[in-house]
Amino acid sequence: MKKVITYGTYDLLHQGHINILRRAKELGDYLIVGVTNDNFDRERGKLNVRNNVLERVEAVKATGYADKIIIEDYVGQKIDDIQKYGVDVFAIGSDWEGKFDYLKEYCDVVYLPRTEGISSTMLREEMTNDTNIGIIGCGRVANRFPSEASFVSSVNILGAYDADKDVMKAWKAKFPGHKCYDNADELISEADAVYIATPHLSHCDYIKKALKAKKHVLCETPMALNGQTARELYELAEKQGVILMEANKTAHCPAFNHLVSLIKSGVIGEVVDVEASLSKLWDDNMSLREFDPLQAGGSMYELGSYPLLPILKFCGLNYESLNFYSRMKDGVDMYTKGLLRYPHATCSFKVGLGVKTEGNLVISGTKGYAYVPAPWWKTDYFELRYEDQNDNKKFFYKWDGTGLRYEIQEFISCIINNRFSSARLRRRESIRMADIMQQFAERKNMFEI
Ligand code: CTP
């Protein structure tokens, strides 16, 4: 029996896919089709795939050409598959001409003619109009937004607004193609969506303005500094039929997402402890907003939502107690340690703008633990470790650019699919983070050291 193998994403299955599967099948007696898994696609830069892997497998199955469907998970898998299944012919479209010649060592390689005039990319572009995003607040993070957005299809950066004229001038010099707005209202009225990266205390007003104008909102973390405000904002967004998302880049990065799925599926047993730390020594410039108590400066507001993410993800929202221990200077916390007690777990975090500490993440379970070295909030590597070292596993990922593209992609996907909550950072998780910020503001169970 002559076995043929072919691979693809097969998103929005189209005539080009059907033709290539038919031609591939005609090369032998048995056709194996490798369908890329969602994580693998994201890692290789395909950020906009519409159908998830199960839908894509179903679509390939429905063509009737595949005798076996497998999932492609990793680079190098093709060689393993060819040997494992005793494949005689590897077939792929002519757009890959020459790229798979290295497989000739293992089997015949055939490049089949590609169907002209159709592709998943074309279909995706036809299905959606561009989302015009306006940027409010042109500081450090916002400066990275336009180049990151260029990796996500269906996004167009319309222009920007900043209350500070000098900042606006610098923006204009850096991004001459963008329209610079004199006021936020005008930007909001012309945009389909806004990205808010202003100082924390102004988030709420801008979010409300945009939501009332029925515009989607992506707001930098911490989106809100009290739970009730966060709750009301999400309710308003849903009532207005638009998406509101908190921009926490760790929540959207591929490696962190895989870590979440692994731990939730029980690979380290029951989670009993989470320790997460993050420090960014910056106290040489005390005039920055980050150190101004009137602008919600300090370590907890600035950095707290990052370590709270794994804590709330792995241990849940219902902790029984939370204590803070803070070192204060001129009204802001230069360092805060938080301790959370759950019925069956305990968690701790350390955040510091004026104290340096090891920035790693350790999740301890009844069967093993996960270790994510610093900077874990930009996860590209982690390990699962066990009593028997032979069971240890290392996981490597790509962290592209400054990482904002993943949250922008999820934001656009929520808009297109009318999804009000993203599993990567649930609304309830974002609300609980705001509750915790509020507890800190009220100095409840907070002890100065
Ligand atoms: N293919 C084809 N003719 C087309 C489109 C795709 O023969 N018009 C083939 C590819 O060469 C490949 C297989 O179909 O062998 C799966 O390709 P895939 O990347 O899933 O499809 P594309 O439509 O090319 O997707 P994209 O636009 O996302 O790259």
Side-chain angles (χ1 to χ4, degrees):
M1 185 168 60
K2 196 169 176 188
K3 284 188 178 175
V4 181
I5 198 163
T6 189
Y7 294 84
T9 304
Y10 307 103
D11 189 27
L12 304 171
L13 196 105
H14 54 67
Q15 194 56 46
H17 294 141
I18 296 170
N19 293 345
I20 198 123
L21 291 174
R22 190 189 62 248
R23 287 171 190 148
K25 173 84 182 199
E26 284 165 4
L27 294 173
D29 312 301
Y30 188 85
L31 178 65
I32 303 171
V33 181
V35 178
T36 49
N37 107 10
D38 297 330
N39 272 339
F40 183 56
D41 268 325
R42 243 176 268 135
E43 272 171 43
R44 61 196 192 119
K46 272 200 171 189
L47 293 177
N48 301 296
V49 174
R50 285 296 157 76
N51 298 138
N52 66 38
V53 64
L54 295 179
E55 292 164 339
R56 292 183 282 114
V57 164
E58 281 309 312
V60 169
K61 207 185 265 172
T63 65
Y65 292 119
D67 295 291
K68 184 177 186 66
I69 298 178
I70 58 171
I71 304 297
E72 187 181 22
D73 269 318
Y74 59 90
V75 181
Q77 187 182 321
K78 291 185 180 75
I79 294 177
D80 292 347
D81 290 341
I82 289 167
Q83 297 181 103
K84 182 167 157 192
Y85 298 110
V87 168
D88 303 289
V89 183
F90 169 87
I92 196 95
S94 51
D95 46 325
W96 295 97
E97 190 75 51
K99 296 261 171 35
F100 291 102
D101 287 356
Y102 70 90
L103 295 176
K104 285 183 180 163
E105 199 183 322
Y106 304 92
C107 66
D108 287 343
V109 173
V110 177
Y111 297 100
L112 292 166
R114 191 179 155 91
T115 309
E116 292 304 316
I118 188 155
S119 75
S120 305
T121 307
M122 260 171 63
L123 293 177
R124 284 192 292 263
E125 282 171 4
E126 273 168 24
M127 276 169 72
T128 39
N129 297 323
D130 274 1
T131 302
N132 290 308
I133 302 187
I135 298 173
I136 303 183
C138 302
R140 274 187 309 273
V141 205
N143 265 269
R144 299 183 206 129
F145 195 88
S147 60
E148 287 289 305
S150 69
F151 290 94
V152 184
S153 66
S154 317
V155 171
N156 174 43
I157 302 294
L158 188 68
Y161 164 76
D162 195 291
D164 184 325
K165 295 267 177 285
D166 291 334
V167 172
M168 202 70 276
K169 218 187 249 168
W171 185 275
K172 201 171 196 151
K174 188 164 176 190
F175 304 105
H178 292 174
K179 179 166 173 186
C180 291
Y181 288 84
D182 294 327
N183 63 73
D185 294 328
E186 195 191 338
L187 176 142
I188 290 171
S189 75
E190 290 183 12
D192 304 313
V194 293
Y195 168 60
I196 300 174
T198 55
H200 311 325
L201 292 177
S202 57
H203 287 172
C204 180
D205 285 347
Y206 285 125
I207 295 175
K208 269 192 189 147
K209 263 188 190 187
L211 295 179
K212 282 184 181 157
K214 293 195 190 301
K215 308 298 165 124
H216 308 285
V217 177
L218 176 65
C219 181
E220 261 312 317
T221 191
M223 181 186 86
L225 298 181
N226 79 67
Q228 188 51 27
T229 305
R231 225 167 267 122
E232 284 168 14
L233 291 173
Y234 283 120
E235 278 165 14
L236 178 62
E238 192 160 345
K239 187 171 144 244
Q240 297 290 86
V242 289
I243 307 303
L244 169 60
M245 210 172 98
E246 178 164 357
N248 181 313
K249 65 175 186 294
T250 308
H252 298 278
C253 89
F256 185 78
N257 275 298
H258 193 202
L259 178 70
V260 172
S261 356
L262 284 171
I263 289 185
K264 295 226 180 231
S265 63
V267 292
I268 58 165
E270 199 187 319
V271 174
V272 176
D273 192 282
V274 177
E275 284 176 85
S277 300
L278 170 53
S279 66
K280 199 163 157 189
L281 214 53
W282 240 1
D283 61 349
D284 51 346
N285 190 354
M286 293 297 289
S287 62
L288 288 171
R289 170 185 65 74
E290 284 75 5
F291 298 103
D292 183 355
L294 299 177
Q295 296 193 69
S299 310
M300 188 59 202
Y301 291 149
E302 202 51 38
L303 307 172
S305 48
Y306 291 100
L308 287 174
L309 175 74
I311 291 175
L312 299 177
K313 279 255 173 255
F314 299 126
C315 292
L317 306 178
N318 301 321
Y319 53 85
E320 291 178 333
S321 71
L322 164 57
N323 287 1
F324 301 105
Y325 302 89
S326 297
R327 179 185 168 103
M328 305 294 291
K329 185 175 173 187
D330 301 333
V332 296
D333 59 316
M334 301 302 284
Y335 173 76
T336 289
K337 176 165 180 156
L339 290 179
L340 295 94
R341 180 170 56 83
Y342 286 82
H344 304 291
T346 169
C347 299
S348 61
F349 64 87
K350 295 185 264 185
V351 283
L353 292 175
V355 170
K356 195 67 198 156
T357 180
E358 171 69 19
N360 59 16
L361 167 66
V362 179
I363 305 149
S364 311
T366 49
K367 292 185 184 155
Y369 71 97
Y371 170 70
V372 193
W376 68 266
W377 54 95
K378 297 197 253 178
T379 321
D380 61 0
Y381 166 73
F382 62 84
E383 290 181 32
L384 297 180
R385 293 177 176 173
Y386 299 93
E387 193 59 45
D388 180 352
Q389 287 189 18
N390 295 318
D391 295 334
N392 289 2
K393 274 201 181 107
K394 298 181 181 193
F395 296 80
F396 298 86
Y397 298 83
K398 250 172 92 191
W399 169 270
D400 288 314
T402 57
L404 296 182
R405 66 193 65 179
Y406 306 114
E407 67 189 27
I408 303 173
Q409 190 271 330
E410 180 70 354
F411 180 52
I412 297 298
S413 159
C414 285
I415 294 175
I416 292 171
N417 300 306
N418 213 22
R419 258 192 298 132
F420 289 105
S421 191
S422 162
R424 299 194 193 158
L425 176 59
R426 292 268 178 223
R427 286 185 288 194
R428 53 181 182 268
E429 291 163 346
S430 156
I431 293 169
R432 186 46 52 95
M433 284 180 188
D435 279 330
I436 292 174
M437 296 296 174
Q438 182 180 4
Q439 182 188 328
F440 183 76
E442 291 169 0
R443 306 288 190 247
K444 234 187 255 166
N445 295 335
M446 192 268 226
F447 305 91
E448 277 193 44
I449 53 165

